[in-house]
Amino acid sequence: MSEVILKTPQQLALMRHAGQLLTQVFAHLDDFIRPGVSTLQINDKADAFIVEVLKARPASKGQYGFAYSLNTSVDHVVCHGVPSAQHVLTAGSIINVDITLEHGGYIADSSKMYAVDTIGEAAQRLVDTTYAALWEGIRQVRPGATLGDVGHAIQRHAEAAGYNVVREYCGHGIGRQMHEAPEVLHYGHKGSGLVLRPGMVFTIEPMVNQGGRGVRTLKDGWTVITRDGGLSAQWEHTVAVTAQGVEVLTLREEERGMLP
């Protein structure tokens, strides 16, 4: 992977705007994701909103040959779930919706877990723990900290709850390209890895499994599932290292107050 691209204040402003547009997509979907809705309907609703209302581009569509505007990963699907008219949501499921959006030449990337109607206690605990692990990682981001600090904080929180962090997939730098340097691991050792500097922008997106951390990819070449059939959860934000610490560029309205 190439060298880390530090963003200028002007570039960061464009990324901030793309991030805030992306939060509107999730808000648009919040009341739509429910039993009886197919994952393809979720995709189509988001696509239309991004293109027609926000006048932006669904950045995942066409990336690496992917035909859709977002990923829908349900229950034991870890990541990269493919929207389908045949996959209709049922009560009790959990679903991760992972969306990228480009506006003004810059890309924002975020994902959110949704409970489909009422979910079980075990599923809720996994979702909540994964979300808390994401924020444990985000709170490590500041100039002079390391990517190892971020990964260690996530791993420690997930494993303390009895879960396992998926290691095959990671966060990534982001900007004009969806995937830039550096790779952001969700496990690791404090003080190790790249030292963070103002202007760095990357995603943090831990995938946490209820059972073992093993995964496998289905024959479609996209969908990644848990090897043991256990549930998996993921949350993601795009963050920027600032002189003061961290800015979450994809922060949703309900998350204000998560950082000091």
Side-chain angles (χ1 to χ4, degrees):
M1 194 173 277
S2 58
E3 291 187 9
V4 175
I5 301 170
L6 299 180
K7 274 59 177 188
T8 66
Q10 293 77 17
Q11 291 169 328
L12 191 57
L14 291 170
M15 295 200 72
R16 183 181 298 113
H17 183 62
Q20 288 310 296
L21 290 179
L22 184 50
T23 69
Q24 295 181 42
V25 186
F26 287 104
H28 187 63
L29 295 175
D30 283 347
D31 293 330
F32 184 72
I33 296 175
R34 59 185 184 273
V37 171
S38 75
T39 55
L40 184 60
Q41 286 176 304
I42 296 171
N43 174 84
D44 292 350
K45 187 173 181 68
D47 182 276
F49 186 74
I50 292 170
V51 174
E52 297 170 13
V53 178
L54 301 181
K55 308 300 181 187
R57 179 178 68 87
S60 295
K61 196 172 186 177
Q63 179 86 353
Y64 309 123
F66 190 68
Y68 303 93
S69 298
L70 50 75
N71 293 107
T72 49
S73 301
V74 182
D75 292 338
H76 67 294
V77 177
V78 176
C79 61
H80 303 163
V82 179
S84 168
Q86 285 69 50
H87 195 153
V88 176
L89 298 179
T90 57
S93 284
I94 58 174
I95 177 173
N96 176 268
V97 179
D98 189 346
I99 311 173
T100 59
L101 176 153
E102 180 267 321
H103 187 274
Y106 287 87
I107 299 172
D109 188 359
S110 184
S111 80
K112 178 178 179 178
M113 293 298 299
Y114 289 89
V116 184
D117 200 14
T118 303
I119 63 174
E121 183 179 339
Q124 189 66 62
R125 180 173 180 267
L126 174 66
V127 169
D128 292 345
T129 300
T130 305
Y131 186 62
L134 167 70
W135 282 99
E136 287 292 319
I138 290 173
R139 292 186 183 106
Q140 303 307 309
V141 177
R142 65 182 70 88
T146 69
L147 286 179
D149 297 338
V150 175
H152 175 78
I154 292 168
Q155 181 183 11
R156 180 180 58 189
H157 190 86
E159 292 182 352
Y163 301 130
N164 282 289
V165 176
V166 172
R167 300 193 179 197
E168 286 81 356
Y169 302 93
C170 61
H172 50 86
I174 188 168
R176 287 192 174 276
Q177 302 298 320
M178 188 185 302
H179 296 115
E180 299 180 353
E183 292 187 341
V184 181
L185 303 182
H186 303 116
Y187 61 93
H189 301 285
K190 291 181 68 173
S192 66
L194 185 71
V195 176
L196 303 183
R197 292 182 288 161
M200 291 182 177
V201 181
F202 50 83
T203 70
I204 303 176
E205 46 183 300
M207 302 161 206
V208 177
N209 289 354
Q210 192 177 48
R213 66 177 178 87
V215 301
R216 66 183 181 91
T217 304
L218 298 185
K219 290 181 180 179
D220 64 12
W222 288 104
T223 307
V224 179
I225 65 171
T226 57
R227 281 194 173 275
D228 58 15
L231 296 176
S232 187
Q234 180 191 17
W235 296 82
E236 175 183 11
H237 272 309
T238 297
V239 304
V241 185
T242 69
Q244 292 74 36
V246 61
E247 180 182 358
V248 181
L249 301 180
T250 49
L251 189 74
R252 297 183 297 276
E253 186 62 37
E254 70 269 19
E255 296 177 303
R256 309 220 176 257
M258 291 296 293
L259 288 171

